[in-house]
Amino acid sequence: HLISSFLFFFLRPYPSLTFLFILQVFTAGAFFGEFALIFSQRRTATIKANTYCDLFTLTQDDFLSVLKDFPEFESLIKREGLRPVVSKFKIYPDLLSISWSDVVSPNSPVGRQLRQNEETSGKEEEASEGGPLLDCFVSHIQPHMVVLGSALFRAGMGVKKSGVYFITKGTIVLEDASHSIVHTMAENTHFGHYAILKRCKRSLTARALTECQLFELSTESCEYIIQQFPEFGDFLMAKSVSSDYYD
């Protein structure tokens, strides 16, 4: 429970900060601090004011109350915040900018909703900026913190209690049964999809070589996205076949 956490909105622009290891600079109209509130996570960065700042603030209780009353606001916050993160993983970029009707079956629930929208408004609903795949991803992925030496999954286990992992910070190693390192996964890479696609047990163990910050797409969520976007499943399989390891 983040009692003392706030969501901040900047009112006026300020010059760029000058200290080292700057992850992001916020200016007028920007907001920050929302992810830890939405996902009930610890803070992963420190916020410092380079000059005097005018801000609006929302406490966690008020922020969550707004999300409850306006769920579409949560979707907007997640989509805009995760857009730069997801884009770094190069997850089938061709699907990031096309319309829902280009990839969704007309008889699927989404397809039926599209037809209903067309009949009501007289035109096809416009896809949100960033594309349908991005919207689908941000509604399913969850942040995941991993401590040094811990295993995300082990060789021989099923896939139900794990998923696909996207590394935003840190290093993961894939080990075989003899604990030899088969492959090293760095930042902005993802792993764990092969066993899900093939519906088989894990062939390798994924272990944190350092403390890691990840986003996790559960097996159930991955299967749902592939069902909605079959081309994405084909892309993942092609990538697995071309690699020198199978996780």
Side-chain angles (χ1 to χ4, degrees), residues 141-177:
I141 59 177
Q142 296 291 326
H144 193 75
M145 303 293 291
V146 184
V147 298
L148 170 66
S150 62
L152 288 162
F153 54 77
R154 298 180 183 277
M157 69 177 288
V159 297
K160 287 187 177 181
K161 294 184 178 180
S162 60
V164 182
Y165 299 92
F166 302 83
I167 307 174
T168 58
K169 183 179 181 180
T171 304
I172 298 289
V173 292
L174 301 178
E175 304 172 340
D176 59 20

mmCIF file of all heavy atoms in Angstrom, residues 141-177:
data_model
loop_
_atom_site.group_PDB
_atom_site.id
_atom_site.type_symbol
_atom_site.label_atom_id
_atom_site.label_comp_id
_atom_site.label_asym_id
_atom_site.label_seq_id
_atom_site.Cartn_x
_atom_site.Cartn_y
_atom_site.Cartn_z
ATOM 1 N N ILE A 141 0.022 -7.294 -19.881
ATOM 2 C CA ILE A 141 1.329 -7.466 -19.255
ATOM 3 C C ILE A 141 1.351 -6.859 -17.855
ATOM 4 O O ILE A 141 0.652 -5.901 -17.570
ATOM 5 C CB ILE A 141 2.466 -6.859 -20.110
ATOM 6 C CG1 ILE A 141 2.262 -5.361 -20.342
ATOM 7 C CG2 ILE A 141 2.588 -7.583 -21.426
ATOM 8 C CD1 ILE A 141 3.399 -4.722 -21.113
ATOM 9 N N GLN A 142 2.168 -7.466 -16.989
ATOM 10 C CA GLN A 142 2.296 -7.025 -15.606
ATOM 11 C C GLN A 142 3.781 -6.879 -15.257
ATOM 12 O O GLN A 142 4.607 -7.675 -15.706
ATOM 13 C CB GLN A 142 1.656 -8.040 -14.660
ATOM 14 C CG GLN A 142 0.155 -8.210 -14.820
ATOM 15 C CD GLN A 142 -0.617 -6.983 -14.367
ATOM 16 O OE1 GLN A 142 -0.209 -6.307 -13.435
ATOM 17 N NE2 GLN A 142 -1.726 -6.704 -15.026
ATOM 18 N N PRO A 143 4.140 -5.876 -14.450
ATOM 19 C CA PRO A 143 5.543 -5.727 -14.037
ATOM 20 C C PRO A 143 5.961 -6.861 -13.119
ATOM 21 O O PRO A 143 5.137 -7.417 -12.379
ATOM 22 C CB PRO A 143 5.554 -4.376 -13.311
ATOM 23 C CG PRO A 143 4.162 -4.204 -12.828
ATOM 24 C CD PRO A 143 3.278 -4.832 -13.870
ATOM 25 N N HIS A 144 7.223 -7.208 -13.169
ATOM 26 C CA HIS A 144 7.725 -8.345 -12.394
ATOM 27 C C HIS A 144 9.155 -8.049 -11.961
ATOM 28 O O HIS A 144 10.018 -7.802 -12.798
ATOM 29 C CB HIS A 144 7.675 -9.611 -13.256
ATOM 30 C CG HIS A 144 7.860 -10.882 -12.504
ATOM 31 N ND1 HIS A 144 6.879 -11.428 -11.709
ATOM 32 C CD2 HIS A 144 8.913 -11.725 -12.427
ATOM 33 C CE1 HIS A 144 7.328 -12.565 -11.176
ATOM 34 N NE2 HIS A 144 8.565 -12.757 -11.601
ATOM 35 N N MET A 145 9.403 -8.040 -10.666
ATOM 36 C CA MET A 145 10.741 -7.811 -10.129
ATOM 37 C C MET A 145 11.375 -9.156 -9.775
ATOM 38 O O MET A 145 10.724 -10.019 -9.164
ATOM 39 C CB MET A 145 10.675 -6.924 -8.890
ATOM 40 C CG MET A 145 10.014 -5.573 -9.118
ATOM 41 S SD MET A 145 10.958 -4.501 -10.214
ATOM 42 C CE MET A 145 12.386 -4.160 -9.165
ATOM 43 N N VAL A 146 12.640 -9.343 -10.153
ATOM 44 C CA VAL A 146 13.328 -10.608 -9.910
ATOM 45 C C VAL A 146 14.643 -10.334 -9.194
ATOM 46 O O VAL A 146 15.425 -9.483 -9.634
ATOM 47 C CB VAL A 146 13.610 -11.350 -11.240
ATOM 48 C CG1 VAL A 146 14.248 -12.703 -10.963
ATOM 49 C CG2 VAL A 146 12.325 -11.532 -12.031
ATOM 50 N N VAL A 147 14.879 -11.037 -8.109
ATOM 51 C CA VAL A 147 16.124 -10.847 -7.353
ATOM 52 C C VAL A 147 17.225 -11.728 -7.927
ATOM 53 O O VAL A 147 16.962 -12.720 -8.617
ATOM 54 C CB VAL A 147 15.919 -11.173 -5.852
ATOM 55 C CG1 VAL A 147 14.899 -10.243 -5.240
ATOM 56 C CG2 VAL A 147 15.507 -12.624 -5.669
ATOM 57 N N LEU A 148 18.457 -11.363 -7.646
ATOM 58 C CA LEU A 148 19.622 -12.086 -8.127
ATOM 59 C C LEU A 148 19.553 -13.567 -7.753
ATOM 60 O O LEU A 148 19.300 -13.924 -6.606
ATOM 61 C CB LEU A 148 20.880 -11.463 -7.522
ATOM 62 C CG LEU A 148 22.196 -12.209 -7.701
ATOM 63 C CD1 LEU A 148 22.583 -12.249 -9.167
ATOM 64 C CD2 LEU A 148 23.303 -11.551 -6.875
ATOM 65 N N GLY A 149 19.730 -14.436 -8.759
ATOM 66 C CA GLY A 149 19.790 -15.866 -8.515
ATOM 67 C C GLY A 149 18.474 -16.606 -8.566
ATOM 68 O O GLY A 149 18.456 -17.842 -8.604
ATOM 69 N N SER A 150 17.358 -15.914 -8.595
ATOM 70 C CA SER A 150 16.057 -16.590 -8.604
ATOM 71 C C SER A 150 15.715 -17.090 -10.002
ATOM 72 O O SER A 150 16.180 -16.563 -11.007
ATOM 73 C CB SER A 150 14.964 -15.649 -8.099
ATOM 74 O OG SER A 150 14.851 -14.522 -8.943
ATOM 75 N N ALA A 151 14.897 -18.141 -10.055
ATOM 76 C CA ALA A 151 14.516 -18.760 -11.330
ATOM 77 C C ALA A 151 13.083 -18.382 -11.695
ATOM 78 O O ALA A 151 12.178 -18.474 -10.865
ATOM 79 C CB ALA A 151 14.652 -20.269 -11.252
ATOM 80 N N LEU A 152 12.886 -17.944 -12.918
ATOM 81 C CA LEU A 152 11.547 -17.637 -13.410
ATOM 82 C C LEU A 152 10.806 -18.904 -13.789
ATOM 83 O O LEU A 152 9.597 -19.017 -13.597
ATOM 84 C CB LEU A 152 11.645 -16.698 -14.608
ATOM 85 C CG LEU A 152 12.058 -15.264 -14.281
ATOM 86 C CD1 LEU A 152 12.548 -14.544 -15.524
ATOM 87 C CD2 LEU A 152 10.901 -14.518 -13.654
ATOM 88 N N PHE A 153 11.514 -19.828 -14.378
ATOM 89 C CA PHE A 153 10.982 -21.167 -14.630
ATOM 90 C C PHE A 153 12.163 -22.119 -14.722
ATOM 91 O O PHE A 153 13.307 -21.708 -14.897
ATOM 92 C CB PHE A 153 10.121 -21.222 -15.902
ATOM 93 C CG PHE A 153 10.781 -20.706 -17.151
ATOM 94 C CD1 PHE A 153 11.734 -21.467 -17.837
ATOM 95 C CD2 PHE A 153 10.426 -19.482 -17.682
ATOM 96 C CE1 PHE A 153 12.334 -21.006 -18.993
ATOM 97 C CE2 PHE A 153 11.014 -19.003 -18.853
ATOM 98 C CZ PHE A 153 11.966 -19.765 -19.505
ATOM 99 N N ARG A 154 11.864 -23.416 -14.553
ATOM 100 C CA ARG A 154 12.920 -24.432 -14.558
ATOM 101 C C ARG A 154 12.664 -25.472 -15.642
ATOM 102 O O ARG A 154 11.510 -25.708 -16.035
ATOM 103 C CB ARG A 154 12.995 -25.129 -13.194
ATOM 104 C CG ARG A 154 13.344 -24.180 -12.052
ATOM 105 C CD ARG A 154 13.398 -24.917 -10.716
ATOM 106 N NE ARG A 154 13.651 -24.011 -9.608
ATOM 107 C CZ ARG A 154 14.856 -23.581 -9.249
ATOM 108 N NH1 ARG A 154 15.922 -24.009 -9.918
ATOM 109 N NH2 ARG A 154 14.996 -22.748 -8.233
ATOM 110 N N ALA A 155 13.739 -26.080 -16.106
ATOM 111 C CA ALA A 155 13.626 -27.128 -17.126
ATOM 112 C C ALA A 155 12.755 -28.256 -16.601
ATOM 113 O O ALA A 155 12.906 -28.714 -15.465
ATOM 114 C CB ALA A 155 15.012 -27.651 -17.481
ATOM 115 N N GLY A 156 11.820 -28.702 -17.424
ATOM 116 C CA GLY A 156 10.938 -29.793 -17.053
ATOM 117 C C GLY A 156 9.594 -29.375 -16.512
ATOM 118 O O GLY A 156 8.678 -30.193 -16.427
ATOM 119 N N MET A 157 9.423 -28.095 -16.173
ATOM 120 C CA MET A 157 8.139 -27.651 -15.638
ATOM 121 C C MET A 157 7.203 -27.241 -16.760
ATOM 122 O O MET A 157 7.618 -26.942 -17.874
ATOM 123 C CB MET A 157 8.330 -26.482 -14.659
ATOM 124 C CG MET A 157 8.772 -25.176 -15.292
ATOM 125 S SD MET A 157 8.903 -23.809 -14.092
ATOM 126 C CE MET A 157 7.168 -23.496 -13.743
ATOM 127 N N GLY A 158 5.904 -27.243 -16.470
ATOM 128 C CA GLY A 158 4.917 -26.815 -17.443
ATOM 129 C C GLY A 158 4.916 -25.305 -17.585
ATOM 130 O O GLY A 158 5.631 -24.593 -16.886
ATOM 131 N N VAL A 159 4.057 -24.808 -18.469
ATOM 132 C CA VAL A 159 4.060 -23.372 -18.761
ATOM 133 C C VAL A 159 2.963 -22.603 -18.034
ATOM 134 O O VAL A 159 2.939 -21.376 -18.066
ATOM 135 C CB VAL A 159 3.912 -23.122 -20.280
ATOM 136 C CG1 VAL A 159 5.103 -23.700 -21.024
ATOM 137 C CG2 VAL A 159 2.600 -23.708 -20.799
ATOM 138 N N LYS A 160 2.041 -23.307 -17.361
ATOM 139 C CA LYS A 160 0.890 -22.625 -16.778
ATOM 140 C C LYS A 160 1.276 -21.586 -15.735
ATOM 141 O O LYS A 160 0.619 -20.553 -15.593
ATOM 142 C CB LYS A 160 -0.072 -23.646 -16.167
ATOM 143 C CG LYS A 160 -0.853 -24.443 -17.198
ATOM 144 C CD LYS A 160 -1.900 -25.320 -16.534
ATOM 145 C CE LYS A 160 -2.724 -26.058 -17.585
ATOM 146 N NZ LYS A 160 -3.783 -26.901 -16.951
ATOM 147 N N LYS A 161 2.331 -21.852 -14.968
ATOM 148 C CA LYS A 161 2.708 -20.945 -13.891
ATOM 149 C C LYS A 161 3.798 -19.954 -14.300
ATOM 150 O O LYS A 161 4.404 -19.301 -13.455
ATOM 151 C CB LYS A 161 3.170 -21.750 -12.678
ATOM 152 C CG LYS A 161 2.063 -22.580 -12.046
ATOM 153 C CD LYS A 161 2.558 -23.285 -10.794
ATOM 154 C CE LYS A 161 1.424 -24.087 -10.142
ATOM 155 N NZ LYS A 161 1.891 -24.774 -8.909
ATOM 156 N N SER A 162 4.042 -19.848 -15.586
ATOM 157 C CA SER A 162 5.036 -18.896 -16.085
ATOM 158 C C SER A 162 4.455 -18.196 -17.304
ATOM 159 O O SER A 162 3.250 -18.169 -17.493
ATOM 160 C CB SER A 162 6.354 -19.606 -16.407
ATOM 161 O OG SER A 162 6.150 -20.605 -17.389
ATOM 162 N N GLY A 163 5.324 -17.619 -18.140
ATOM 163 C CA GLY A 163 4.825 -16.920 -19.311
ATOM 164 C C GLY A 163 5.949 -16.460 -20.204
ATOM 165 O O GLY A 163 7.030 -17.059 -20.232
ATOM 166 N N VAL A 164 5.695 -15.370 -20.926
ATOM 167 C CA VAL A 164 6.706 -14.725 -21.751
ATOM 168 C C VAL A 164 7.204 -13.516 -20.971
ATOM 169 O O VAL A 164 6.406 -12.781 -20.377
ATOM 170 C CB VAL A 164 6.136 -14.277 -23.107
ATOM 171 C CG1 VAL A 164 7.233 -13.657 -23.975
ATOM 172 C CG2 VAL A 164 5.492 -15.449 -23.826
ATOM 173 N N TYR A 165 8.517 -13.295 -20.984
ATOM 174 C CA TYR A 165 9.109 -12.237 -20.167
ATOM 175 C C TYR A 165 9.857 -11.231 -21.038
ATOM 176 O O TYR A 165 10.595 -11.610 -21.947
ATOM 177 C CB TYR A 165 10.055 -12.844 -19.125
ATOM 178 C CG TYR A 165 9.349 -13.782 -18.184
ATOM 179 C CD1 TYR A 165 9.280 -15.146 -18.462
ATOM 180 C CD2 TYR A 165 8.726 -13.314 -17.037
ATOM 181 C CE1 TYR A 165 8.611 -16.018 -17.613
ATOM 182 C CE2 TYR A 165 8.062 -14.174 -16.177
ATOM 183 C CZ TYR A 165 8.001 -15.524 -16.470
ATOM 184 O OH TYR A 165 7.339 -16.376 -15.625
ATOM 185 N N PHE A 166 9.670 -9.958 -20.725
ATOM 186 C CA PHE A 166 10.295 -8.854 -21.451
ATOM 187 C C PHE A 166 11.198 -8.117 -20.470
ATOM 188 O O PHE A 166 10.725 -7.583 -19.463
ATOM 189 C CB PHE A 166 9.226 -7.919 -22.014
ATOM 190 C CG PHE A 166 8.245 -8.601 -22.929
ATOM 191 C CD1 PHE A 166 7.154 -9.292 -22.415
ATOM 192 C CD2 PHE A 166 8.429 -8.560 -24.304
ATOM 193 C CE1 PHE A 166 6.250 -9.926 -23.257
ATOM 194 C CE2 PHE A 166 7.536 -9.194 -25.152
ATOM 195 C CZ PHE A 166 6.440 -9.890 -24.625
ATOM 196 N N ILE A 167 12.484 -8.080 -20.759
ATOM 197 C CA ILE A 167 13.461 -7.517 -19.835
ATOM 198 C C ILE A 167 13.627 -6.013 -20.084
ATOM 199 O O ILE A 167 13.987 -5.598 -21.182
ATOM 200 C CB ILE A 167 14.838 -8.200 -19.989
ATOM 201 C CG1 ILE A 167 14.703 -9.723 -19.881
ATOM 202 C CG2 ILE A 167 15.812 -7.679 -18.933
ATOM 203 C CD1 ILE A 167 15.988 -10.467 -20.175
ATOM 204 N N THR A 168 13.367 -5.216 -19.061
ATOM 205 C CA THR A 168 13.602 -3.775 -19.158
ATOM 206 C C THR A 168 14.885 -3.367 -18.444
ATOM 207 O O THR A 168 15.460 -2.323 -18.742
ATOM 208 C CB THR A 168 12.429 -2.983 -18.567
ATOM 209 O OG1 THR A 168 12.239 -3.354 -17.193
ATOM 210 C CG2 THR A 168 11.151 -3.264 -19.338
ATOM 211 N N LYS A 169 15.330 -4.190 -17.498
ATOM 212 C CA LYS A 169 16.577 -3.907 -16.800
ATOM 213 C C LYS A 169 17.137 -5.197 -16.235
ATOM 214 O O LYS A 169 16.408 -5.990 -15.646
ATOM 215 C CB LYS A 169 16.349 -2.898 -15.666
ATOM 216 C CG LYS A 169 17.620 -2.496 -14.928
ATOM 217 C CD LYS A 169 17.325 -1.475 -13.839
ATOM 218 C CE LYS A 169 18.590 -1.054 -13.117
ATOM 219 N NZ LYS A 169 18.310 -0.062 -12.047
ATOM 220 N N GLY A 170 18.450 -5.424 -16.409
ATOM 221 C CA GLY A 170 19.090 -6.613 -15.854
ATOM 222 C C GLY A 170 19.423 -7.659 -16.905
ATOM 223 O O GLY A 170 19.236 -7.442 -18.110
ATOM 224 N N THR A 171 19.890 -8.813 -16.438
ATOM 225 C CA THR A 171 20.322 -9.892 -17.327
ATOM 226 C C THR A 171 19.782 -11.228 -16.830
ATOM 227 O O THR A 171 19.865 -11.546 -15.642
ATOM 228 C CB THR A 171 21.861 -9.972 -17.388
ATOM 229 O OG1 THR A 171 22.378 -8.713 -17.796
ATOM 230 C CG2 THR A 171 22.316 -11.048 -18.366
ATOM 231 N N ILE A 172 19.239 -12.009 -17.747
ATOM 232 C CA ILE A 172 18.729 -13.348 -17.471
ATOM 233 C C ILE A 172 19.574 -14.354 -18.253
ATOM 234 O O ILE A 172 19.893 -14.123 -19.425
ATOM 235 C CB ILE A 172 17.250 -13.500 -17.895
ATOM 236 C CG1 ILE A 172 16.358 -12.545 -17.108
ATOM 237 C CG2 ILE A 172 16.788 -14.942 -17.720
ATOM 238 C CD1 ILE A 172 16.175 -12.903 -15.650
ATOM 239 N N VAL A 173 19.930 -15.479 -17.618
ATOM 240 C CA VAL A 173 20.635 -16.542 -18.333
ATOM 241 C C VAL A 173 19.720 -17.756 -18.450
ATOM 242 O O VAL A 173 18.924 -18.041 -17.553
ATOM 243 C CB VAL A 173 21.953 -16.931 -17.621
ATOM 244 C CG1 VAL A 173 22.946 -15.802 -17.697
ATOM 245 C CG2 VAL A 173 21.703 -17.344 -16.168
ATOM 246 N N LEU A 174 19.823 -18.442 -19.577
ATOM 247 C CA LEU A 174 19.095 -19.687 -19.812
ATOM 248 C C LEU A 174 20.072 -20.842 -19.644
ATOM 249 O O LEU A 174 21.101 -20.879 -20.319
ATOM 250 C CB LEU A 174 18.482 -19.687 -21.212
ATOM 251 C CG LEU A 174 17.503 -18.542 -21.516
ATOM 252 C CD1 LEU A 174 17.006 -18.627 -22.952
ATOM 253 C CD2 LEU A 174 16.332 -18.544 -20.542
ATOM 254 N N GLU A 175 19.754 -21.768 -18.738
ATOM 255 C CA GLU A 175 20.641 -22.869 -18.397
ATOM 256 C C GLU A 175 20.024 -24.203 -18.793
ATOM 257 O O GLU A 175 18.810 -24.386 -18.734
ATOM 258 C CB GLU A 175 20.914 -22.885 -16.890
ATOM 259 C CG GLU A 175 21.481 -21.595 -16.341
ATOM 260 C CD GLU A 175 21.559 -21.598 -14.818
ATOM 261 O OE1 GLU A 175 20.843 -22.422 -14.193
ATOM 262 O OE2 GLU A 175 22.323 -20.783 -14.256
ATOM 263 N N ASP A 176 20.892 -25.168 -19.165
ATOM 264 C CA ASP A 176 20.404 -26.514 -19.444
ATOM 265 C C ASP A 176 20.393 -27.324 -18.152
ATOM 266 O O ASP A 176 20.643 -26.783 -17.058
ATOM 267 C CB ASP A 176 21.251 -27.190 -20.526
ATOM 268 C CG ASP A 176 22.727 -27.296 -20.134
ATOM 269 O OD1 ASP A 176 23.043 -27.203 -18.930
ATOM 270 O OD2 ASP A 176 23.561 -27.476 -21.042
ATOM 271 N N ALA A 177 20.107 -28.615 -18.260
ATOM 272 C CA ALA A 177 19.972 -29.462 -17.078
ATOM 273 C C ALA A 177 21.256 -29.576 -16.266
ATOM 274 O O ALA A 177 21.223 -29.852 -15.065
ATOM 275 C CB ALA A 177 19.493 -30.853 -17.495
#
